[in-house]
Amino acid sequence: TTFHDSLCRKIEPNVVPSSNRFEAIRKLTSEGIFTGILLMPVLPFINDNEENIRSIVRKAKECGAKFIFAYGMGLTLRGNQREYYYEKLSKLFPNEFLVKKYMNIYGEKYECSSLEHRKLWDIFKNECERCGILYKMNDIINAYRKNSNICVSYFTQKKDLEDKHIKLLKGRVFGCDSCQNCCPYNEDISFSSISDFYPFDFMNKENALELAN
């Protein structure tokens, strides 16, 4: 949720900086893996600004991300979470009186939305649409979900196949790695260079294609 590494290192000291995560997205998408970003939480008075949101979306596009999902523009706090969060705010931003701001504005509210949440959401939405990045959950799901009605793996798990097809399968349940050899949806997708994703050689491509068709 934070574009600049300097702020990322401050509020997320136990994870790699944002620039490394963007590079991970670049690597995954280059291998044909459906990859995106969960843009949450957005912290009021810390990273809830136009420059941060625009930069994340634009960098995501540059790195090939397919989606960014954000649940509003803010964060949620309850009980011990609030106490811990306020303690960290006091230590990390001692001169900015953030705890007082939070208490005055949000009190005991569970949802703590940015004061600019409507404006930031419009910016986020418009940037995603301009960059061709999915941001609605239904669109994200539909983009990676295949048609299970013609999927060999789906059929075998549901056990809806006819006896003649079960014999062709020889007791195997084919998964995504093997399906790279036969699935019509993969015809234009290059194989991953990661050995763990190589298709298995035991699969009879002709029989699998017959079932898929």
Side-chain angles (χ1 to χ4, degrees):
T1 63
T2 303
F3 179 74
H4 295 291
D5 283 354
S6 56
L7 180 57
C8 176
R9 290 189 178 97
K10 192 172 186 178
I11 63 177
E12 298 181 290
N14 298 318
V15 301
V16 298
S18 298
S19 57
N20 290 42
R21 282 180 267 184
F22 279 118
E23 284 307 307
I25 292 173
R26 190 191 304 277
K27 175 64 174 176
L28 290 168
T29 56
S30 71
E31 297 292 344
I33 299 172
F34 190 84
T35 311
I37 294 171
L38 295 182
L39 185 59
M40 59 181 83
V42 175
L43 309 179
F45 312 113
I46 297 174
N47 59 6
D48 61 333
N49 58 77
E50 178 177 343
E51 188 266 342
N52 184 56
I53 301 300
R54 288 190 190 278
S55 296
I56 289 174
V57 176
R58 292 173 183 179
K59 188 67 174 180
K61 174 179 172 55
E62 177 188 323
C63 295
K66 304 302 182 185
F67 70 89
I68 304 176
F69 182 70
Y71 187 74
M73 290 288 158
L75 80 160
T76 58
L77 294 173
R78 61 160 70 89
N80 294 338
Q81 288 179 329
R82 192 184 309 274
E83 294 176 13
Y84 177 82
Y85 182 62
Y86 285 176
E87 178 184 338
K88 292 298 181 181
L89 287 183
S90 297
K91 290 181 179 179
L92 295 174
F93 305 96
N95 300 318
E96 299 181 31
F97 307 105
L98 292 183
V99 173
K100 185 176 181 180
K101 287 183 180 179
Y102 272 78
M103 293 177 68
N104 289 340
I105 294 170
Y106 303 113
E108 297 296 316
K109 289 182 179 178
Y110 173 62
E111 293 188 6
C112 305
S113 298
S114 168
L115 298 184
E116 299 286 335
H117 69 276
R118 290 188 178 86
K119 174 185 175 182
L120 291 176
W121 180 260
D122 285 341
I123 290 170
F124 168 71
K125 172 179 173 292
N126 292 335
E127 282 292 319
C128 284
E129 290 176 352
R130 186 183 67 82
C131 293
I133 293 178
L134 304 173
Y135 64 94
K136 297 178 182 178
M137 181 54 73
N138 285 341
D139 292 340
I140 295 169
I141 292 172
N142 290 332
Y144 74 77
R145 185 168 57 191
K146 300 302 182 185
N147 182 357
S148 59
N149 291 324
I150 61 171
C151 176
V152 176
S153 179
Y154 178 81
F155 277 150
T156 56
Q157 291 177 55
K158 283 194 69 179
K159 300 180 180 175
D160 284 348
L161 288 177
E162 298 177 18
D163 288 343
K164 63 178 181 179
H165 291 154
I166 292 176
K167 289 179 181 179
L168 287 174
L169 288 171
K170 301 176 182 177
R172 301 185 180 114
V173 176
F174 295 106
C176 294
D177 45 4
S178 297
C179 287
Q180 291 186 64
N181 270 339
C182 70
C183 180
Y185 285 87
N186 285 335
E187 287 179 350
D188 298 322
I189 298 176
S190 58
F191 279 13
S192 170
S193 62
I194 301 173
S195 60
D196 287 344
F197 295 129
Y198 288 172
F200 291 126
D201 292 331
F202 63 71
M203 185 169 152
N204 185 313
K205 182 173 181 179
E206 287 70 29
N207 286 345
L209 279 172
E210 179 182 340
L211 290 175
N213 292 329

